[in-house]
Amino acid sequence: MDNELLPSPDGYEISVDPARLDRERVHRWLSGDAYWALGRSREKQDAAIDGSVNLGVYDAASGVQVAYARVITDRATFAWLCDVYVDPGARGKGLGTALAGAVRDHLAPYGIRRILLATADAHGVYEKVGFGPLDAPEKWMVHGAQ
């Protein structure tokens, strides 16, 4: 399951093959444009990629990566979806929703009970594939930056 292609919108491919990732492009997107990762070093980004399940969306004709998502998981009980990014030139085509759905579907065979994420502005994207607010946010705690 480490290099499979997942169902994708017409004209695109979604893959979990880590060899296909354009690490430089992912770093540029996240460190330069994503509010949650601004200034993240390339070394830190590479370490995050190496310790995670990564999904890329690629233009089927050119092979160029146009979106990215990273999942931190034990592949048994829990997953955290993060670093979801769609290139500005590819936005508005449903790729964010397709990518979130692909994450959900890729993790389904593991029987993971809970997939969490945090977003400041894309709630509607995730709601389309079944994500919703925490039922009991008072049970959750955080250590570190919010």
Side-chain angles (χ1 to χ4, degrees), residues 58-107:
Y58 305 88
D59 180 280
S62 68
V64 171
Q65 186 171 353
V66 297
Y68 173 75
R70 184 166 70 86
V71 181
I72 304 161
T73 183
D74 58 9
R75 290 182 172 97
T77 62
F78 179 82
W80 178 263
L81 172 57
C82 57
D83 288 347
V84 178
Y85 189 90
V86 177
D87 184 90
R91 291 181 185 164
K93 299 176 183 179
L95 297 179
T97 300
L99 187 54
V103 166
R104 178 202 58 211
D105 296 347
H106 178 70
L107 296 176

Side-chain angles (χ1 to χ4, degrees), residues 51 96 128:
K128 291 176 187 175

Side-chain angles (χ1 to χ4, degrees), residues 6-78:
L6 302 168
S8 310
D10 286 344
Y12 296 93
E13 296 176 343
I14 300 176
S15 173
V16 294
D17 183 354
R20 287 190 73 179
L21 293 174
D22 183 338
R23 288 174 176 244
E24 175 57 36
R25 178 168 248 199
V26 169
H27 176 253
R28 189 172 57 249
W29 284 336
L30 297 178
S31 70
D33 191 41
Y35 66 85
W36 65 90
L38 291 175
R40 184 182 291 168
S41 73
R42 174 66 190 268
E43 178 180 79
K44 182 78 71 178
Q45 183 60 49
D46 282 344
I49 288 171
D50 292 340
S52 303
V53 173
N54 302 275
L55 288 84
V57 180
Y58 305 88
D59 180 280
S62 68
V64 171
Q65 186 171 353
V66 297
Y68 173 75
R70 184 166 70 86
V71 181
I72 304 161
T73 183
D74 58 9
R75 290 182 172 97
T77 62
F78 179 82

